[in-house]
């Protein structure tokens, strides 16, 4: 799916009206990037840390001074489900870093931000996070409206104007953009809102998935195809929240041998999409396998500040910290993925490599077109500049995305959220409130309450054990999980995921410190204080974590 895409101009206000705009429109991409570099003291091409795909969380001290063991590592490094064949459970046992990453490069984690936080009033930060940097005063997308013509990367085109099913519409034309929002269970640890950010994920499938057999757009066909894809990705049956007339779509969805009505999609070999996509699939022109997205799939992930209403309920802010975009450029079969993973293992793993230490990984691409992973996906994005306007992320900043979206046991075709989907639709005013706790399955432990299991094993609410609010709420004086809070969590995950208003304000101010300093490459921050008590500044080659009982 090729598009004619353009670069935004974040600093248009300083360019002197229409004349300035025309000058910028005619400016070269190189001069535009150079101006962004000078303004933010960054480089779009220079890479200081090729190992930035190893995130700050991986430097967590798993042992307290008193010998108490904390085990957050299993959340990411786990025995995978094929067609993800990257079993990285051994990373639960040791800090297996390339030599250049033995010294922790994320120095932002060790800086106290108290003085900066004191300088920002509550009123200032509330006004800041409630001011959109995505839309202008006319409701137009800034990154789409103000642009240079020679940019080859993606520019956001989602209006966040969702109907009740989560389908995005252009508010001026009334046309669907193809973007569809869904609700999902946040991934354990850093990604919980109580640890600093709210977010959303929006999916767009290629046009053929949105068309009936005559080639006309059909929301019903599109919604059903997304649910069929959900069955493929989860590799299990999917229950619909409505009834489908199988005769109308020409597909035996529940696999009962007749065309009737059903609210169930039965996962099995040979499950076929409906509409135009189904025709192409039958003709062998559309590739799909269990656990894999089709080529041309897009994801939009916006990371936001923590806003709240008068009742203390949290919600995503109008201001966006990051716009993250991924596009599946190529479809690889499970066999091809297995082969490529085996080759990568030989190149980078100390058990197979001639060099006994782990080797640095590489990712083809650049800041404009995005970086490409092993599964055929490209990743690029936008992030706040020092004035809070969105700018393209640098190559260095994009490398940090790859640690979670390349070879890691916890993902499904490089994605975290879709396998965790529980409903169509964008977040409503309840934002996770009243949602029951999700289940997780581990071969060694069977089915567990996922968030409770994390608290029991980590004895904290995030990797760095810096969330004092969760610790005080969920653990007693002896460090044991409180049964009464666990019972509440089973029924409503917001009791864990919601920060207090005071904590939300604090975390918003702390993140603004990184924005003003433009030091994303030195790590996003997770608390006001230095984390030297719970994070290693340096590790030895293959240093053991102290974790003996693996979770898989």
């Amino acid at each position: 799916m090729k598009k004619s895409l353009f670069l935004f101009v974040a600093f248009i206000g300083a360019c002197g009206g229409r004349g300035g705009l025309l000058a910028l429109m005619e400016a070269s991409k190189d001069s535009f990037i150079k101006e962004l570099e000078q303004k933010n003291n960054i480089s779009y091409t220079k890479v200081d840390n090729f190992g930035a795909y190893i995130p700050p969380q991986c430097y967590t001290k798993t042992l307290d001074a008193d010998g108490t063991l904390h085990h957050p590592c299993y959340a990411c490094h786990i025995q995978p489900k094929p067609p993800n064949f990257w079993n990285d459970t051994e990373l639960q046992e040791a800090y297996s870093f390339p030599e250049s990453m033995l010294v922790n490069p994320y120095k932002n984690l060790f800086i106290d931000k108290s003085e900066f936080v004191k300088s920002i009033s509550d009123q200032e930060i509330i006004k800041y996070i409630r001011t959109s940097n995505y839309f202008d005063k006319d409701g137009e997308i800034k990154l789409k409206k103000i642009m240079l013509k020679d940019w080859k990367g993606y520019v956001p085109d989602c209006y966040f104007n969702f109907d009740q099913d989560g389908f995005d519409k252009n508010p001026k034309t009334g046309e669907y953009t193809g973007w569809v929002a869904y609700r999902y269970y946040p991934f354990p640890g850093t990604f919980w809102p109580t640890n600093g950010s709210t977010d959303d994920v929006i999916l767009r499938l290629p046009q053929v998935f949105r068309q009936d057999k005559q080639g006309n757009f059909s929301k019903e066909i599109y919604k059903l195809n997304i649910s069929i894809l959900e069955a493929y990705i989860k590799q299990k049956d999917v229950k619909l929240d409505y009834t489908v007339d199988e005769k109308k779509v020409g597909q035996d969805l529940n696999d009962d041998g007749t065309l009737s009505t059903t609210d169930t999609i039965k996962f099995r070999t040979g499950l076929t999409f409906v509409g135009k996509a189904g025709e192409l699939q039958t003709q062998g022109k559309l590739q799909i396998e269990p656990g894999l997205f089709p080529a041309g799939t897009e994801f939009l992930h916006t990371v936001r500040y923590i806003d709240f209403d008068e009742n203390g309920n949290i919600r995503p802010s109008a201001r966006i910290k990051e716009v993250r975009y991924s596009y599946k450029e190529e479809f690889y079969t499970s066999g091809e993925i297995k082969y490529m993973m085996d080759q990568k293992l030989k190149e980078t793993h100390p058990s197979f490599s001639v060099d006994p230490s782990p080797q640095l990984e590489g990712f083809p691409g650049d800041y404009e077109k995005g970086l490409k992973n092993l599964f055929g996906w490209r990743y690029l994005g936008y992030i706040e500049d020092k004035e809070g306007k969105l700018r393209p992320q640098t190559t260095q900043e994009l490398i940090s995305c790859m640690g979670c979206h390349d070879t890691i046991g916890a993902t499904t075709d490089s994605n975290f959220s879709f396998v965790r989907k529980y409903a169509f639709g964008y977040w409503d005013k309840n934002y996770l409130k009243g949602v029951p706790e999700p289940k997780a399955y581990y071969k060694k432990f069977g089915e567990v309450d996922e968030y409770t299991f994390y608290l029991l094993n980590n004895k904290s609410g995030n990797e760095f054990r810096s969330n004092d609010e969760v610790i005080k709420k969920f653990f007693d004086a002896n460090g044991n999980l409180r049964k009464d809070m666990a019972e509440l969590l089973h029924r409503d995950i917001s009791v864990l995921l919601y920060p207090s208003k005071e904590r939300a304000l604090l975390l918003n101010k702390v993140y603004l410190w990184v924005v003003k300093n433009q030091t994303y490459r030195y790590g996003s921050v997770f608390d006001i204080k230095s984390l030297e008590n719970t994070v290693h500044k340096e590790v030895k080659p293959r240093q053991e974590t102290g974790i003996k009982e693996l979770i898989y």
Side-chain angles (χ1 to χ4, degrees):
M1 185 186 298
K2 295 184 178 180
K3 303 177 181 179
S4 178
L5 299 173
F6 307 96
L7 178 61
F8 75 99
V9 180
F11 47 87
I12 188 64
C15 299
R18 181 172 175 80
L21 172 61
L22 291 174
L24 282 174
M25 293 286 284
E26 295 168 0
S28 71
K29 178 176 59 186
D30 290 342
S31 63
F32 172 72
I33 290 297
K34 185 176 181 180
E35 194 156 351
L36 279 177
E37 290 178 326
Q38 293 173 345
K39 175 185 175 183
N40 295 288
N41 191 29
I42 56 175
S43 171
Y44 272 90
T45 55
K46 182 181 178 182
V47 175
D48 295 319
N49 179 17
F50 285 97
Y53 58 86
I54 299 173
Q57 293 93 314
C58 286
Y59 289 90
T60 295
K61 293 179 180 179
T62 50
L63 287 171
D64 278 341
D66 63 2
T68 301
L69 183 67
H70 302 267
H71 188 359
C73 311
Y74 77 89
C76 290
H77 306 301
I78 196 72
Q79 193 173 82
K81 184 175 184 178
N84 184 352
F85 302 96
W86 194 264
N87 185 350
D88 55 359
T89 50
E90 66 171 38
L91 295 181
Q92 297 178 28
E93 299 178 282
Y95 300 94
S96 185
F97 299 159
E99 185 177 354
S100 63
M101 294 296 287
L102 295 176
V103 175
N104 189 340
Y106 303 112
K107 58 185 182 182
N108 281 349
L109 304 184
F110 307 110
I111 299 174
D112 190 288
K113 299 93 186 172
S114 302
E115 291 305 313
F116 176 84
V117 168
K118 289 178 185 177
S119 71
I120 306 294
S121 70
D122 291 353
Q123 292 73 25
E124 285 179 293
I125 196 66
I126 290 172
K127 181 180 179 181
Y128 182 78
I129 69 169
R130 291 179 180 173
T131 302
S132 177
N133 56 352
Y134 186 87
F135 294 108
D136 65 17
K137 60 182 178 61
D138 298 317
E140 297 287 348
I141 301 172
K142 289 182 178 181
L143 307 183
K144 188 177 182 181
K145 184 178 179 182
I146 305 169
M147 46 201 166
L148 292 177
K149 291 184 177 181
D150 55 351
W151 184 255
K152 296 182 177 66
Y154 169 77
V155 169
D157 57 348
C158 178
Y159 288 91
F160 291 87
N161 180 40
F162 301 106
D163 65 16
Q164 63 181 10
D165 295 315
F167 288 69
D168 181 52
K169 281 186 175 183
N170 183 320
K172 291 193 174 180
T173 66
E175 296 178 343
Y176 287 103
T177 62
W179 289 111
V180 182
Y182 56 90
R183 300 169 192 166
Y184 51 93
Y185 301 106
F187 192 77
T190 296
F191 300 95
W192 287 341
T194 183
N195 292 318
S197 298
T198 58
D199 70 343
D200 51 49
V201 181
I202 307 148
L203 164 75
R204 181 161 62 188
L205 297 181
Q207 193 170 22
V208 293
F209 289 86
R210 313 173 217 163
Q211 297 174 333
D212 61 20
K213 292 182 179 180
Q214 288 70 47
N216 301 312
F217 174 81
S218 168
K219 178 184 170 182
E220 292 73 22
I221 292 291
Y222 192 17
K223 186 175 182 180
L224 190 53
N225 275 334
I226 293 175
S227 295
I228 292 171
L229 177 62
E230 184 178 349
Y232 266 103
I233 296 301
K234 294 181 176 179
Q235 301 186 51
K236 65 180 183 181
D237 299 350
V238 169
K239 194 82 169 178
L240 305 173
D241 58 3
Y242 60 98
T243 300
V244 178
D245 183 347
E246 293 179 324
K247 292 180 181 178
K248 185 177 179 181
V249 298
Q251 179 73 270
D252 184 10
L253 297 170
N254 60 3
D255 197 31
D256 65 355
T258 63
L259 294 181
S260 54
T261 59
T262 186
D263 64 355
T264 302
I265 294 174
K266 180 75 173 178
F267 173 68
R268 74 275 188 185
T269 303
L271 176 62
T272 307
F273 292 103
V274 297
K276 181 64 70 175
E279 285 191 340
L280 294 180
Q281 183 183 0
T282 302
Q283 296 167 8
K285 298 178 180 179
L286 188 156
Q287 290 181 286
I288 189 72
E289 280 191 34
L292 297 175
F293 293 94
T297 299
E298 300 169 274
F299 282 99
L300 196 63
H301 177 204
T302 74
V303 183
R304 301 172 184 248
Y305 292 86
I306 309 168
D307 200 354
F308 42 81
D309 62 23
E310 61 278 4
N311 298 317
N313 297 321
I314 70 167
R315 62 192 181 197
S317 65
R319 180 171 295 276
I320 294 176
K321 293 180 177 181
E322 291 184 58
V323 177
R324 300 171 175 176
Y325 172 79
S326 59
Y327 172 71
K328 190 164 185 179
E329 191 171 77
E330 295 180 75
F331 182 92
Y332 297 124
T333 66
S334 57
E336 290 171 327
I337 291 171
K338 179 68 166 60
Y339 174 79
M340 289 188 290
M341 283 189 168
D342 287 345
Q343 294 305 306
K344 182 172 182 176
L345 195 66
K346 292 177 182 178
E347 294 171 2
T348 62
H349 198 280
S351 299
F352 296 89
S353 176
V354 175
D355 189 323
S357 63
Q359 302 299 297
L360 280 171
E361 300 179 26
F363 308 97
D366 57 29
Y367 63 86
E368 183 180 11
K369 296 179 182 178
L371 301 185
K372 190 174 181 180
N373 75 0
L374 196 69
F375 297 85
W377 292 85
R378 283 199 179 271
Y379 294 85
L380 57 89
Y382 297 86
I383 201 164
E384 286 184 277
D385 73 4
K386 66 189 300 182
E387 296 176 355
K389 299 171 183 177
L390 291 168
R391 64 164 175 80
Q393 288 186 289
T394 65
T395 301
Q396 175 73 83
E397 290 161 351
L398 289 179
I399 291 175
S400 67
C401 302
M402 306 309 288
C404 291
H405 296 287
D406 191 48
T407 43
I408 185 172
T411 56
T412 302
D413 196 6
S414 307
N415 181 271
F416 285 92
S417 65
F418 195 68
V419 75
R420 306 177 68 83
K421 171 184 176 289
Y422 66 82
F424 278 100
Y426 195 74
W427 303 119
D428 59 15
K429 63 181 181 180
N430 294 319
Y431 187 64
L432 297 170
K433 197 165 191 176
V435 176
E437 183 177 8
K439 303 287 186 180
Y441 179 82
Y442 300 98
K443 184 178 180 181
K444 193 172 182 178
F445 299 92
E447 187 175 78
V448 299
D449 296 299
E450 184 179 32
Y451 294 169
T452 302
F453 190 73
Y454 182 88
L455 294 174
L456 284 168
N457 283 281
N458 191 33
K459 301 178 178 64
S460 181
N462 64 4
E463 293 86 346
F464 303 124
R465 306 191 291 285
S466 61
N467 192 328
D468 294 336
E469 194 166 89
V470 165
I471 293 173
K472 290 176 182 177
K473 184 189 290 188
F474 280 86
F475 297 89
D476 63 22
N478 296 317
N480 298 313
L481 183 66
R482 291 175 51 185
K483 291 183 179 179
D484 59 333
M485 293 305 300
E487 287 299 322
L488 287 175
L489 175 58
H490 297 336
R491 300 192 298 269
D492 182 357
I493 59 177
S494 72
V495 300
L496 170 64
L497 303 191
Y498 274 28
S500 65
K501 177 180 176 181
E502 293 71 27
R503 179 168 172 79
L505 288 168
L506 172 67
L507 293 172
N508 289 339
K509 293 176 185 178
V510 168
Y511 185 82
L512 186 59
W513 178 87
V514 186
V515 173
K516 294 298 183 183
N517 288 282
Q518 289 292 287
T519 53
Y520 303 109
R521 61 192 180 278
Y522 298 130
S524 294
V525 292
F526 301 89
D527 213 317
I528 188 173
K529 59 191 176 185
S530 168
L531 299 177
E532 60 188 45
N533 291 331
T534 57
V535 179
H536 289 291
K537 287 188 174 181
E538 185 175 357
V539 295
K540 298 176 181 178
R542 299 286 298 171
Q543 179 176 322
E544 293 184 353
T545 62
I547 295 168
K548 303 299 182 183
E549 184 178 4
L550 302 186
I551 297 174
Y552 55 87

